[in-house]
Amino acid sequence: MRTMHLATILVLLAARSQAAEAPCVSTTGRTVAINGSATVRLPPDRVAFTVGVETVDADVAKAFEANDKKLRAVVASLKAKGVASKDIQTSNLDISSRDERGQRFSGFRVTNLVTVTSAEPARAGELLQAAVATGANQAGGLRFFVADTPQARTRGLELAFEDARGKAQTLAQQAKRSLGDVVCVSESPSWAAGATNNTVAFYADSSSGTEAGAERVSFSLSVVFELK
């Protein structure tokens, strides 16, 4: 079975996206349109989670100061474990005199959360433990994901095209024809189970026994072939 080099596929895709209004023109007038699909399994290369500190005090200034001090200790412990400053971002700061039900209580509650990202998913449990050991009393939102997928995309498109060509060959034989050149190719958005925006995501409990696992990204192409 013949295969088409990925560079040729990408050129066809680019040309199609730049001139979407142009029709798929066949020189013979006989074509077969096929959908090809493929799934690639990916291990995560990033982990993100949220940790924070909550402090309650009758004096709002004291609550804020104490909470800030504890959060600084948490951040320092994460940096000591190798997390870069750019990968630690404040994601919520809240000062309230009411509880979760909206009832007023004596004193003030200060909560400060930071979201941490690391390029070492296997160390998720270690980083969470370090944060808790230095004062974090809130943790959650543990998410494993793939940030860089060019190799997977290349392989996924190649496999999807091979799938489309194989189906087209079968249909051409049934029609007593032979398969000719590719007229046009269009790509459907890739998708990953449990993720959005083409980001592969994995979710787990925010405990030390974390498992990153693996996820699948699916690719799909629509290909039109000439029939000879």
Side-chain angles (χ1 to χ4, degrees):
M1 181 181 296
R2 293 188 301 163
T3 59
M4 176 176 284
H5 194 276
L6 181 63
T8 305
I9 300 175
L10 294 177
V11 168
L12 285 166
L13 287 171
R16 184 68 175 163
S17 63
Q18 292 172 1
E21 70 282 357
C24 257
V25 180
S26 166
T27 58
T28 66
R30 296 184 297 270
T31 62
V32 57
I34 293 293
N35 291 325
S37 60
T39 300
V40 179
R41 291 183 65 84
L42 300 171
D45 58 12
R46 295 289 189 278
V47 63
F49 58 86
T50 299
V51 291
V53 177
E54 179 180 293
T55 303
V56 177
D57 196 283
D59 187 299
V60 64
K62 290 182 179 179
F64 184 86
E65 182 179 356
N67 199 78
D68 183 66
K69 183 178 180 179
K70 287 185 282 188
L71 185 67
R72 288 178 184 274
V74 170
V75 170
S77 71
L78 292 168
K79 290 181 178 179
K81 290 291 185 179
V83 181
S85 297
K86 66 181 179 63
D87 293 326
I88 303 175
Q89 183 179 47
T90 298
S91 51
N92 185 64
L93 172 61
D94 182 68
I95 301 175
S96 176
S97 60
R98 297 180 182 274
D99 61 22
E100 291 80 1
R101 296 171 298 176
Q103 301 297 313
R104 185 179 293 277
F105 58 84
S106 58
F108 295 87
R109 179 180 62 197
V110 178
T111 303
N112 202 338
L113 302 177
V114 293
T115 297
V116 181
T117 304
S118 173
E120 300 180 89
R123 298 184 62 207
E126 177 188 350
L127 296 176
L128 281 164
Q129 286 182 328
V132 171
T134 50
N137 51 22
Q138 295 187 0
L142 181 61
R143 183 171 65 97
F144 296 91
F145 61 98
V146 174
D148 188 17
T149 61
Q151 292 183 345
R153 183 173 185 273
T154 296
R155 186 57 180 155
L157 290 174
E158 289 174 342
L159 292 174
F161 186 84
E162 290 174 9
D163 180 55
R165 179 175 283 280
K167 293 176 181 176
Q169 288 277 19
T170 299
L171 292 177
Q173 291 171 2
Q174 293 298 315
K176 311 283 189 218
R177 299 282 182 178
S178 61
L179 205 60
D181 293 333
V182 174
V183 177
C184 56
V185 182
S186 60
E187 179 189 10
S188 300
S190 58
W191 61 273
T196 59
N197 298 326
N198 293 332
T199 299
V200 189
F202 312 77
Y203 298 89
D205 293 329
S206 57
S207 63
S208 60
T210 58
E211 294 292 339
E215 195 53 270
R216 297 174 298 170
V217 183
S218 294
F219 298 85
S220 179
L221 295 175
S222 295
V223 189
V224 178
F225 295 91
E226 295 270 13
L227 286 178
K228 296 188 293 185

